[in-house]
């Protein structure tokens, strides 16, 4: 039975012209976009974003591929179930359940920010189900850079970080706009799309928990890191915004290059942390490229 849910907030239809899909998740639900047909591409967002982040990519590619972008519980238009803690472990469990229930097979995984560890936790356990991967400004190991640890303490700390997120909606209202290099793209429509999912102090708690978990989830990160070698033969595109000051310098990109042996890397001098906002054209091209590479591989095998 298809869920009939009223959107919790409105978003510009010209920006986000997609049909809403809703999947029950315990006593909550997951909102997602499912557009087009062909090879499947699963798009995972980070903090405090949602499927809106991939709107340009979906519009560009839905004529050739099946693009699926979900909102984690507590983000975007999804409603978290009761007793949900908004940790990356729980988000990853929700994503794994989502993949299973939609019966997604042989898909390309696209990750950025927290989408990296959330998606990699699935990837290292289900390598056989992945066709390829696109990686942008993310990580999947314990935070070793001082900048990231300080960021965690400031944005996810108590009480100052908690106050910033829950009272000022700081992540959605300030960090997102500053994480986009092309300032002309930071319109009022865009600002509203990222702040509207968090109208109350309580609704903003998930945006505080994510940075807090950079430190608190260390053992979880260690477990993912220990399994990353299983992805060494996975065709990969690495797309890196070089203007990112949020703890994702070239050293983190180099770590991905050492893990994903079959990588092709593109460096973007005009992109910051939210690569999908700065250069959606290059994100779409990276997805096309990894599908082309894997299609060529399939034709050789057959």
């Amino acid at each position: 039975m298809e869920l009939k849910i009223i959107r919790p907030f409105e978003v510009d239809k010209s920006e986000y012209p997609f049909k809403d899909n809703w999947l029950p998740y315990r006593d909550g639900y997951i909102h997602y976009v499912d557009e087009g047909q062909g090879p499947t591409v699963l798009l995972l967002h980070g903090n405090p974003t949602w499927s809106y982040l991939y709107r340009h990519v979906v519009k560009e590619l839905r004529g050739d591929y099946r693009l699926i972008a979900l909102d984690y519980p507590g983000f975007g238009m999804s409603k978290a179930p009761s007793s949900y803690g908004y940790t990356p472990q729980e988000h990853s469990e929700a994503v794994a359940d989502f993949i299973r229930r939609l019966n997604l097979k042989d898909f390309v995984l696209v990750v950025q920010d927290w989408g990296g560890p959330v998606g990699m936790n699935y990837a290292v356990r289900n390598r056989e189900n992945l066709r390829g991967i696109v990686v942008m400004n993310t990580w999947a190991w314990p935070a070793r850079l001082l900048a990231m640890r300080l960021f965690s303490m400031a944005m996810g700390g108590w009480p100052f970080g908690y106050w910033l997120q829950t009272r000022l909606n700081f992540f959605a209202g300030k960090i997102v706009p500053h994480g986009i290099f092309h300032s002309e793209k930071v319109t009022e429509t865009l600002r509203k799309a990222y702040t509207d999912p968090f109208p109350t102090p309580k609704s903003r708690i998930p945006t505080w928990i994510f940075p807090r978990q950079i430190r608190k989830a260390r053992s979880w990160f260690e477990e993912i890191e220990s399994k990353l070698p299983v992805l060494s033969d996975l065709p990969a595109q690495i797309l890196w915004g070089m203007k990112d000051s949020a703890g994702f310098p070239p050293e983190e990109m180099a770590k991905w290059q050492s893990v994903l042996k079959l990588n092709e890397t593109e460096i973007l001098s005009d992109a910051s942390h939210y690569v999908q906002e700065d250069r959606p054209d290059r994100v779409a091209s990276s997805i096309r490229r990894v599908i082309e590479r894997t299609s060529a591989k399939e034709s050789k095998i057959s």
Side-chain angles (χ1 to χ4, degrees):
M1 182 178 177
E2 187 177 349
L3 280 180
K4 297 292 184 182
I5 307 291
I6 297 174
R7 282 185 172 185
F9 58 91
E10 283 305 316
V11 61
D12 188 299
K13 289 182 180 178
S14 64
E15 285 270 295
Y16 190 81
F18 312 122
K19 176 193 171 189
D20 294 320
N21 299 278
W22 313 91
L23 185 71
Y25 187 60
R26 303 179 198 164
D27 59 344
Y29 50 80
I30 289 175
H31 169 264
Y32 66 101
V33 168
D34 189 345
E35 298 276 321
Q37 294 181 329
T40 301
V41 182
L42 180 63
L43 308 154
L44 298 185
H45 67 83
N47 186 31
T49 54
W50 55 292
S51 52
Y52 176 86
L53 178 69
Y54 287 102
R55 65 199 179 281
H56 298 306
V57 177
V58 174
K59 285 187 280 190
E60 182 168 339
L61 297 179
R62 62 182 172 176
D64 299 310
Y65 312 124
R66 180 186 180 192
L67 283 298
I68 301 172
L70 73 156
D71 306 340
Y72 307 146
F75 289 81
M77 298 190 188
S78 293
K79 180 182 178 183
S82 54
S83 302
Y84 194 78
Y86 309 105
T87 64
Q89 297 95 316
E90 289 167 291
H91 292 316
S92 192
E93 289 168 8
V95 168
D97 183 74
F98 178 87
I99 292 168
R100 179 184 60 80
R101 291 167 67 188
L102 265 64
N103 195 31
L104 305 184
K105 303 288 184 185
D106 191 36
F107 60 89
V108 172
L109 182 65
V110 181
V111 301
Q112 179 261 344
D113 191 75
W114 276 99
V118 167
M120 289 300 168
N121 188 51
Y122 175 86
V124 296
R125 290 166 170 77
N126 300 273
R127 163 63 186 89
E128 72 287 348
N129 207 26
L130 298 183
R131 176 177 183 147
I133 192 165
V134 177
V135 171
M136 301 170 278
N137 295 57
T138 187
W139 84 116
W141 40 81
R144 298 185 177 101
L145 297 175
L146 179 60
M148 186 172 278
R149 296 201 300 273
L150 291 175
F151 177 85
S152 175
M153 287 186 280
M155 295 297 106
W158 174 272
F160 181 64
Y162 185 83
W163 178 79
L164 277 177
Q165 310 317 334
T166 61
R167 296 297 163 180
L168 301 185
N169 204 9
F170 191 78
F171 228 115
K174 299 296 183 183
I175 292 182
V176 170
H178 284 288
I180 299 171
F181 178 71
H182 290 278
S183 58
E184 73 277 6
K185 295 188 176 187
V186 183
T187 63
E188 285 308 307
T189 299
L190 179 143
R191 289 179 184 273
K192 190 171 185 296
Y194 286 125
T195 56
D196 277 4
F198 311 108
T200 65
K202 184 178 179 181
S203 71
R204 298 166 190 161
I205 289 174
T207 71
W208 171 69
I209 288 175
F210 256 145
R212 187 173 182 81
Q213 287 292 309
I214 293 172
R215 290 170 294 127
K216 300 295 184 180
R218 184 176 182 86
S219 61
W220 183 71
F221 277 107
E222 288 173 344
E223 186 178 357
I224 297 172
E225 183 179 31
S226 71
K227 293 181 171 67
L228 286 174
V230 305
L231 305 179
S232 63
D233 66 340
L234 183 66
Q237 301 295 129
I238 298 173
L239 192 62
W240 211 261
M242 299 299 282
K243 302 298 185 183
D244 192 347
S245 60
F248 297 97
E251 295 93 309
E252 297 291 83
M253 177 185 69
K255 171 89 170 177
W256 282 116
Q257 290 171 321
S258 69
V259 167
L260 302 169
K261 305 292 186 186
L262 301 184
N263 79 83
E264 292 182 356
T265 297
E266 181 177 358
I267 292 172
L268 299 174
S269 60
D270 64 339
S272 185
H273 185 63
Y274 297 101
V275 180
Q276 303 95 321
E277 294 291 356
D278 276 320
R279 294 301 305 270
D281 58 324
R282 300 317 305 158
V283 181
S285 293
S286 291
I287 293 169
R288 285 191 186 279
R289 176 60 184 151
V290 79
I291 292 175
E292 288 169 0
R293 288 172 62 196
T294 51
S295 297
K297 184 179 177 182
E298 286 173 359
S299 63
K300 286 180 182 179
I301 294 173
S302 59

